[in-house]
């Protein structure tokens, strides 16, 4: 049973709201994938904060109409699953990772910040580390000179401490010697 006009308007409104805040949309053909595998894909998408939905292409075209993703409408042909995310790489990463383990999911197109992407570009986008990993890498690079300086100071203090220990022993030996005499 198909959707009535009000249901279609509700779907378009829901998807349009997601598209309005999205940075990336990835479109993949899902023909022949078992329901259990699609359920796993949806669960992974949910944990990554990715909106994943099977839509009628006409409704998807209406949802992206007038947005930066409008040029994606030409690629909306066949049974497609739409992956939409606010994170620049999350949608591509979820679809590309799943496509590695399931050859029936075929990436057809994508769009990042208004730029049309082909399959190779979507896979390349998916290989970029997530925002959190990039921030951690930058912080690690920023902390490297500071931690190296701290290790240098600690080594210098340890070296001076080693030199001070024999001097303290000599002082104690000198003090004991006159007392013994």
């Amino acid at each position: 049973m198909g959707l009535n006009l009000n249901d279609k308007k509700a779907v378009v409104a829901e998807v349009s709201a997601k598209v309005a805040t999205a940075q990336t949309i990835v479109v993949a053909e899902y023909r022949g994938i078992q329901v259990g595998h699609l359920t796993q894909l949806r669960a992974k998408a949910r944990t990554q904060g990715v909106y994943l939905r099977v839509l009628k292409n006409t409704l998807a075209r209406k949802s992206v109409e007038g947005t930066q993703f409008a040029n994606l409408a030409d690629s909306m042909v066949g049974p497609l699953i739409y992956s939409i995310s606010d994170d620049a790489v999350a949608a591509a990463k979820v679809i590309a990772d799943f496509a590695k383990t399931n050859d029936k999911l075929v990436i057809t197109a994508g769009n990042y910040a208004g730029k049309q992407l082909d399959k190779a570009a979507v896979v390349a986008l998916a290989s970029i580390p997530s925002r959190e990993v990039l921030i951690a890498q930058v912080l690690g690079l920023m902390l490297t000179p500071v931690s190296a300086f701290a290790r240098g100071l600690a080594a210098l203090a340890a070296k001076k401490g080693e030199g001070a220990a024999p001097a303290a022993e000599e002082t104690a030996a000198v003090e004991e010697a006159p007392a013994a005499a």
Side-chain angles (χ1 to χ4, degrees):
M1 184 170 161
L3 298 173
N4 65 29
L5 184 60
N6 289 332
D7 292 339
K8 289 178 183 179
K9 286 180 181 178
V11 168
V12 169
E14 176 187 344
V15 175
S16 294
K18 294 292 183 183
V19 168
T21 62
Q23 287 190 23
T24 307
I25 296 178
V26 176
V27 180
E29 189 173 316
Y30 68 95
R31 190 183 325 246
I33 295 179
Q34 297 176 351
V35 174
H37 294 281
L38 276 178
T39 304
Q40 291 173 352
L41 176 61
R42 285 187 174 111
K44 183 172 182 179
R46 228 182 341 269
T47 62
Q48 300 294 323
V50 175
Y51 180 78
L52 189 73
R53 180 132 186 209
V54 174
L55 293 168
K56 288 192 161 282
N57 294 329
T58 54
L59 298 179
R61 282 187 203 104
K62 286 186 187 281
S63 298
V64 298
E65 197 172 87
T67 68
Q68 63 182 348
F69 303 107
N71 59 0
L72 195 58
D74 297 337
S75 304
M76 297 179 180
V77 178
L80 299 175
I81 191 162
Y82 296 87
S83 177
I84 304 168
S85 72
D86 298 341
D87 183 2
V89 298
K93 191 175 288 291
V94 167
I95 294 293
D97 287 349
F98 190 79
K100 287 178 189 174
T101 60
N102 194 324
D103 60 344
K104 292 183 180 179
L105 184 73
V106 179
I107 299 169
T108 57
N111 190 307
Y112 167 67
K115 294 187 174 82
Q116 185 78 15
L117 304 173
D118 62 350
K119 179 181 179 177
V122 170
V123 172
L125 182 64
S127 68
I128 295 173
S130 69
R131 181 177 187 268
E132 291 77 21
V133 172
L134 288 174
I135 290 172
Q137 289 174 347
V138 168
L139 287 176
L141 287 172
M142 290 171 62
L143 289 177
T144 300
V146 174
S147 60
F149 181 69
R151 282 193 299 273
L153 285 178
L156 184 61
K159 186 175 180 183
K160 285 195 177 215
E162 289 173 6
E169 291 172 5
E170 289 175 11
T171 305
V174 170
E175 289 174 1
E176 289 177 15

